[in-house]
Amino acid sequence: MEKVEKGKKTKRTRDRKKNTPWYRRISIKGALVCTTLCSIVLGFFTCMAEVYTLSTVHNDIYETYVQPYLPEEYADGYYSIKIESISPDGTTRDMVQRSPNAYVDPETGELYPMEQTPSYTFILAGFFRFLYQSSDLVAIILCFLTAILFFVLDAAWFYRWKIRKPLGVLNLASQKISENDLDFTIPQPSTDELGKLCGSFEKMRLSLEENNKAMWNAMEERRRLNAAFAHDLRTPLTVLQGYSDYLLDGLPSGDITAEKAEETVETMKRSLIRLQRYVEGMNSLQKMEDVAPIRKKANFCSLASQLRETASILCGPDNLVFSADGKGSLQLDTELIFQVFENLMSNACRYAQKRIQVCVGQREGFFQLSVTDDGPGFPQEALKRAVEPYYRADKKLDGTPQGSQHFGLGLYICRILCEKHGGWLSVKNSEEGGASVTAVFRT
């Protein structure tokens, strides 16, 4: 059964991952590599665009301000360089290259020696001169600033993509948990490492919530138990107090005969015995809280046979109808099961008229046993309160010897033991009208 549940859970997890978008499935390391590569590529192309733009601006400034001062037709404005080259056939050929040796003002014809006149002289002082004169430095600064900008954008993108939402979820969850508020759900925004951390926080929250509920239920159960215990102690204590006052007033004056005194003492003794059994019952309940099931391998057929034998001893074979449906091995605490079974059989024997029916079976990872009698059944109030501590439907027996043997703890103890074994206890009336109690244990 556990393997089937584990397989279903694995399938649900796989389907959830399949339906999750890729940007939520990618790991933190993969996201960091992705954002870094994208930032490097975009930064590189941005720097190339900046360098190209600066080069274009530099050429435009040159053509606008410097090129008009270069001579076009003045021979004295040029100097010649003689270059010798060797042709493929081995002959030497002279080449002359003419280059300007001075700038010429196109309006006045004034010459500016090139060796003494920088080209930026013809550019008005200001932004264009600075850009023309320091274009290399500007390019380096722009590339450096672009690298910083894309580094910041890369960090912001990665934080917004992978860090911000899970961090907000975990921060809000930790605040609520610190305030003892567990009535919420921690979402899992992704399937990466931080998403799994959110899932772990949700498991921790569920565990804390279950523990708090269990502790609260235990405290509430203890409060009800103490209230019921105090309520039921009032009757024997009142009897003892009343009869003790009666004896103190009557014995000295001789108004009470020896026979009456003996009868009174017997009644007081029964009340004392009742108090003693109340205290023993309370101690047994406290011990029940510390009981931990010890599961051992048990064969179903062998267990059913032992239960049949126990039932035959308790109610007699002629009054028993026993049925079993199951096979194989089970992991159960058989001593705990027999304790519950004997308690149920004791109740059934008390109210049955002629017949007690016992059904033992298996179902979906649970072992269950039902005990049904043909008695008057549970009253309507008892169907709701039969498993509460110290509840008795037959309150008319209070103060009688039969009532002193019954404190309303049997079904409550059975319920505790069933819950300790991962199961539950249910009560109802059968179709014929008798009481039917079913105990279920997780295997």
Side-chain angles (χ1 to χ4, degrees):
M1 188 66 184
E2 293 180 356
K3 291 183 179 179
V4 174
E5 292 179 355
K6 186 176 180 181
K8 291 181 179 179
K9 184 177 180 181
T10 304
K11 184 178 180 181
R12 287 196 299 269
T13 304
R14 188 165 55 248
D15 293 341
R16 185 170 65 250
K17 287 183 178 180
K18 185 177 180 181
N19 296 328
T20 304
W22 68 269
Y23 56 85
R24 289 187 178 180
R25 294 198 308 267
I26 190 171
S27 66
I28 292 180
K29 183 179 180 180
L32 183 60
V33 172
C34 178
T35 55
T36 303
L37 287 178
C38 290
S39 298
I40 290 174
V41 172
L42 290 175
F44 173 77
F45 282 107
T46 302
C47 289
M48 293 295 293
E50 291 172 350
V51 171
Y52 175 78
T53 302
L54 284 174
S55 176
T56 303
V57 171
H58 184 276
N59 292 336
D60 290 342
I61 294 174
Y62 179 82
E63 292 175 358
T64 302
Y65 295 100
V66 180
Q67 194 169 2
Y69 288 88
L70 292 176
E72 297 181 358
E73 55 187 5
Y74 299 107
D76 56 351
Y78 289 83
Y79 66 90
S80 299
I81 299 177
K82 183 178 180 182
I83 301 175
E84 294 183 353
S85 63
I86 300 175
S87 60
D89 57 359
T91 59
T92 301
R93 183 173 59 181
D94 296 336
M95 297 180 63
V96 177
Q97 179 178 346
R98 302 175 66 243
S99 298
N101 57 9
Y103 295 107
V104 179
D105 190 332
E107 297 180 357
T108 62
E110 185 179 354
L111 295 177
Y112 299 92
M114 192 168 287
E115 295 179 355
Q116 303 175 5
T117 309
S119 58
Y120 57 80
T121 302
F122 308 105
I123 304 173
L124 295 176
F127 175 72
F128 286 121
R129 175 181 286 189
F130 170 77
L131 195 60
Y132 180 82
Q133 186 179 1
S134 307
S135 58
D136 294 340
L137 178 62
V138 171
I140 293 173
I141 293 174
L142 282 178
C143 288
F144 178 74
L145 294 177
T146 300
I148 294 177
L149 174 64
F150 274 91
F151 176 78
V152 173
L153 291 177
D154 176 31
W157 181 18
F158 178 76
Y159 173 79
R160 184 181 180 85
W161 180 13
K162 284 293 180 182
I163 303 296
R164 187 182 68 171
K165 193 169 183 178
L167 199 61
V169 168
L170 294 175
N171 186 39
L172 180 61
S174 62
Q175 289 180 0
K176 289 188 175 182
I177 291 174
S178 65
E179 296 170 358
N180 292 326
D181 179 12
L182 299 174
D183 189 18
F184 67 99
T185 303
I186 301 176
Q188 187 172 343
S190 61
T191 58
D192 58 15
E193 292 84 345
L194 286 177
K196 292 177 181 178
L197 182 60
C198 291
S200 299
F201 260 70
E202 173 63 11
K203 292 180 181 178
M204 180 188 70
R205 184 199 67 80
L206 287 174
S207 178
L208 288 174
E209 186 178 22
E210 291 176 359
N211 291 338
N212 281 2
K213 286 181 178 179
M215 184 169 59
W216 171 259
N217 291 335
M219 292 174 61
E220 188 67 16
E221 192 69 30
R222 173 62 62 183
R223 186 189 65 79
R224 290 199 301 266
L225 192 61
N226 290 337
F229 184 68
H231 177 270
D232 281 2
L233 279 180
R234 290 194 187 104
T235 300
L237 286 175
T238 302
V239 170
L240 287 174
Q241 183 177 359
Y243 278 118
S244 63
D245 293 340
Y246 173 70
L247 292 175
L248 288 173
D249 293 339
L251 284 177
S253 61
D255 295 338
I256 301 177
T257 63
E259 187 177 324
K260 185 64 177 177
E262 183 180 355
E263 182 182 345
T264 303
V265 172
E266 286 293 335
T267 304
M268 294 177 68
K269 183 178 180 181
R270 286 198 298 267
S271 296
L272 286 172
I273 293 174
R274 185 179 177 85
L275 283 175
Q276 182 181 0
R277 288 179 176 170
Y278 264 121
V279 174
E280 290 175 356
M282 196 67 177
N283 290 334
S284 66
L285 288 179
Q286 291 177 348
K287 292 177 181 178
M288 288 295 171
E289 296 179 357
D290 300 328
V291 170
I294 303 176
R295 299 172 185 265
K296 295 181 181 179
K297 190 174 182 180
N299 182 270
F300 178 85
C301 295
S302 176
L303 179 60
S305 177
Q306 294 175 24
L307 290 172
R308 178 197 292 270
E309 183 179 349
T310 301
S312 298
I313 295 173
L314 292 175
C315 69
D318 296 336
N319 299 327
L320 177 65
V321 178
F322 191 94
S323 63
D325 181 18
K327 59 181 180 179
S329 298
L330 307 172
Q331 291 292 332
L332 296 169
D333 187 338
T334 54
E335 292 184 5
L336 186 147
I337 290 174
F338 272 96
Q339 186 175 354
V340 172
F341 181 65
E342 290 169 2
N343 235 323
L344 298 183
M345 286 298 301
S346 175
N347 282 344
C349 291
R350 184 181 299 115
Y351 296 101
Q353 296 178 1
K354 295 181 180 180
R355 181 175 59 87
I356 295 177
Q357 182 178 357
V358 177
C359 297
V360 180
Q362 292 176 271
R363 62 163 190 169
E364 299 178 357
F366 291 93
F367 172 80
Q368 77 173 34
L369 56 89
S370 299
V371 178
T372 306
D373 60 59
D374 58 353
F378 290 107
Q380 196 62 33
E381 183 185 6
L383 288 174
K384 299 178 181 179
R385 301 184 56 197
V387 296
E388 294 181 2
Y390 297 108
Y391 175 78
R392 297 190 302 275
D394 50 352
K395 293 185 180 295
K396 61 184 181 180
L397 298 177
D398 287 355
T400 66
Q402 185 180 358
S404 65
Q405 305 294 326
H406 176 51
F407 300 99
L409 293 175
L411 291 180
Y412 177 71
I413 290 175
C414 291
R415 192 195 83 184
I416 291 179
L417 294 178
C418 288
E419 291 175 352
K420 290 284 186 180
H421 212 293
W424 62 89
L425 185 78
S426 62
V427 298
K428 65 177 182 178
N429 287 327
S430 63
E431 296 179 358
E432 293 78 10
S436 178
V437 183
T438 302
V440 181
F441 308 89
R442 181 180 291 276
T443 58

